Amino acid sequence: MQIDMKQPILDKNDQLAAQLRKRFADNHVFVLDLLASPGSGKTSTILATIEALRDEFNIAVIEGDIASNVDAEKIKAQGIAAVQINTGGACHLESNMISRAIDVLDLERLDLIIVENVGNLVCPTDFDLGENAKVMILSVPEGDDKPLKYPGVFQAAKVVILNKVDTMPVFNFDREAFDASVRQLNPQAPIFPIAATKGEGVEEWATWLAEQIRAIQ
């Protein structure tokens, strides 16, 4: 006899995610769920995005990590509200975690919530957090073959960010092959090449995001 525990867990998660989505919509808050491997530059991308949009929008960040609050402190140092979630070993965030996190945020004053999910290219794709968009961040040092190895996360993403493009010559990254692989998996997803720590390419990504936020206000 085989007992499938995954579907009941996902069903419960999805029910709460639907409630979260309505709550966000009622308050006109746009929510991003950032998916990436450890070291891909999630936090640096968040900081660059904040810098580009903070004059127009009120932003908060939910940081998901197995342990520590290092990234949340980096966000707070920029004067941005940040809530730390430590999963204690779980490889992804779930909607019940997000529900508890937003209880300490003033949704009526926010325009954008950025969720930094746990660094993982598998588990987070299955869990709806009530977000408007999942965003896949890949860094050039990880290699241009990642869409072939982890197709699910690229298929789930509404947007793909290619980070650390300034290192492309060093790592012999095949941009054409990468783009073709992404297009095969997800033809609708725009690809934004950036170097977050240097601010390169961030303006185009931020412009796209600003348009999404304005559309729900």
Side-chain angles (χ1 to χ4, degrees), residues 140 166-173:
V140 165
D166 53 319
T167 68
M168 204 172 292
V170 176
F171 291 96
N172 196 29
F173 188 94

PDB file of all heavy atoms in Angstrom, residues 140 166-173:
ATOM      1  N   VAL A 140      25.907  33.418 -13.845  1.00  0.00           N
ATOM      2  CA  VAL A 140      26.764  32.896 -14.912  1.00  0.00           C
ATOM      3  C   VAL A 140      27.700  31.780 -14.428  1.00  0.00           C
ATOM      4  O   VAL A 140      27.851  30.757 -15.121  1.00  0.00           O
ATOM      5  CB  VAL A 140      27.560  34.043 -15.568  1.00  0.00           C
ATOM      6  CG1 VAL A 140      28.712  33.510 -16.406  1.00  0.00           C
ATOM      7  CG2 VAL A 140      26.631  34.899 -16.422  1.00  0.00           C
ATOM      8  N   ASP A 166      28.836  40.063 -15.992  1.00  0.00           N
ATOM      9  CA  ASP A 166      30.175  40.621 -16.181  1.00  0.00           C
ATOM     10  C   ASP A 166      31.256  39.546 -16.113  1.00  0.00           C
ATOM     11  O   ASP A 166      32.397  39.769 -16.534  1.00  0.00           O
ATOM     12  CB  ASP A 166      30.452  41.703 -15.128  1.00  0.00           C
ATOM     13  CG  ASP A 166      30.209  41.220 -13.706  1.00  0.00           C
ATOM     14  OD1 ASP A 166      29.218  40.508 -13.473  1.00  0.00           O
ATOM     15  OD2 ASP A 166      31.003  41.582 -12.819  1.00  0.00           O
ATOM     16  N   THR A 167      30.909  38.349 -15.615  1.00  0.00           N
ATOM     17  CA  THR A 167      31.880  37.249 -15.531  1.00  0.00           C
ATOM     18  C   THR A 167      31.759  36.268 -16.698  1.00  0.00           C
ATOM     19  O   THR A 167      32.433  35.244 -16.713  1.00  0.00           O
ATOM     20  CB  THR A 167      31.698  36.460 -14.211  1.00  0.00           C
ATOM     21  OG1 THR A 167      30.436  35.766 -14.242  1.00  0.00           O
ATOM     22  CG2 THR A 167      31.729  37.389 -13.009  1.00  0.00           C
ATOM     23  N   MET A 168      30.930  36.581 -17.658  1.00  0.00           N
ATOM     24  CA  MET A 168      30.663  35.647 -18.747  1.00  0.00           C
ATOM     25  C   MET A 168      31.922  35.198 -19.488  1.00  0.00           C
ATOM     26  O   MET A 168      32.089  33.998 -19.770  1.00  0.00           O
ATOM     27  CB  MET A 168      29.645  36.262 -19.713  1.00  0.00           C
ATOM     28  CG  MET A 168      28.869  35.241 -20.518  1.00  0.00           C
ATOM     29  SD  MET A 168      27.525  35.986 -21.485  1.00  0.00           S
ATOM     30  CE  MET A 168      26.426  36.512 -20.168  1.00  0.00           C
ATOM     31  N   PRO A 169      32.853  36.090 -19.824  1.00  0.00           N
ATOM     32  CA  PRO A 169      34.058  35.637 -20.534  1.00  0.00           C
ATOM     33  C   PRO A 169      34.911  34.683 -19.695  1.00  0.00           C
ATOM     34  O   PRO A 169      35.534  33.761 -20.239  1.00  0.00           O
ATOM     35  CB  PRO A 169      34.803  36.944 -20.812  1.00  0.00           C
ATOM     36  CG  PRO A 169      33.763  38.010 -20.760  1.00  0.00           C
ATOM     37  CD  PRO A 169      32.812  37.563 -19.703  1.00  0.00           C
ATOM     38  N   VAL A 170      34.920  34.895 -18.392  1.00  0.00           N
ATOM     39  CA  VAL A 170      35.749  34.069 -17.513  1.00  0.00           C
ATOM     40  C   VAL A 170      35.231  32.633 -17.469  1.00  0.00           C
ATOM     41  O   VAL A 170      36.014  31.671 -17.469  1.00  0.00           O
ATOM     42  CB  VAL A 170      35.777  34.659 -16.082  1.00  0.00           C
ATOM     43  CG1 VAL A 170      36.566  33.747 -15.148  1.00  0.00           C
ATOM     44  CG2 VAL A 170      36.362  36.066 -16.104  1.00  0.00           C
ATOM     45  N   PHE A 171      33.926  32.472 -17.469  1.00  0.00           N
ATOM     46  CA  PHE A 171      33.326  31.146 -17.300  1.00  0.00           C
ATOM     47  C   PHE A 171      32.879  30.521 -18.620  1.00  0.00           C
ATOM     48  O   PHE A 171      32.247  29.468 -18.624  1.00  0.00           O
ATOM     49  CB  PHE A 171      32.147  31.232 -16.331  1.00  0.00           C
ATOM     50  CG  PHE A 171      32.570  31.512 -14.918  1.00  0.00           C
ATOM     51  CD1 PHE A 171      32.568  32.810 -14.425  1.00  0.00           C
ATOM     52  CD2 PHE A 171      33.000  30.480 -14.102  1.00  0.00           C
ATOM     53  CE1 PHE A 171      32.970  33.063 -13.120  1.00  0.00           C
ATOM     54  CE2 PHE A 171      33.405  30.732 -12.800  1.00  0.00           C
ATOM     55  CZ  PHE A 171      33.396  32.024 -12.304  1.00  0.00           C
ATOM     56  N   ASN A 172      33.200  31.161 -19.732  1.00  0.00           N
ATOM     57  CA  ASN A 172      32.870  30.598 -21.046  1.00  0.00           C
ATOM     58  C   ASN A 172      31.390  30.230 -21.136  1.00  0.00           C
ATOM     59  O   ASN A 172      31.022  29.142 -21.586  1.00  0.00           O
ATOM     60  CB  ASN A 172      33.743  29.368 -21.321  1.00  0.00           C
ATOM     61  CG  ASN A 172      33.733  28.967 -22.790  1.00  0.00           C
ATOM     62  OD1 ASN A 172      33.551  29.814 -23.671  1.00  0.00           O
ATOM     63  ND2 ASN A 172      33.916  27.683 -23.057  1.00  0.00           N
ATOM     64  N   PHE A 173      30.562  31.145 -20.681  1.00  0.00           N
ATOM     65  CA  PHE A 173      29.110  30.931 -20.658  1.00  0.00           C
ATOM     66  C   PHE A 173      28.543  31.135 -22.050  1.00  0.00           C
ATOM     67  O   PHE A 173      28.760  32.163 -22.680  1.00  0.00           O
ATOM     68  CB  PHE A 173      28.482  31.936 -19.675  1.00  0.00           C
ATOM     69  CG  PHE A 173      27.021  31.720 -19.393  1.00  0.00           C
ATOM     70  CD1 PHE A 173      26.617  30.966 -18.310  1.00  0.00           C
ATOM     71  CD2 PHE A 173      26.049  32.305 -20.195  1.00  0.00           C
ATOM     72  CE1 PHE A 173      25.275  30.788 -18.023  1.00  0.00           C
ATOM     73  CE2 PHE A 173      24.703  32.131 -19.925  1.00  0.00           C
ATOM     74  CZ  PHE A 173      24.315  31.369 -18.834  1.00  0.00           C
TER      75      PHE A 173
END
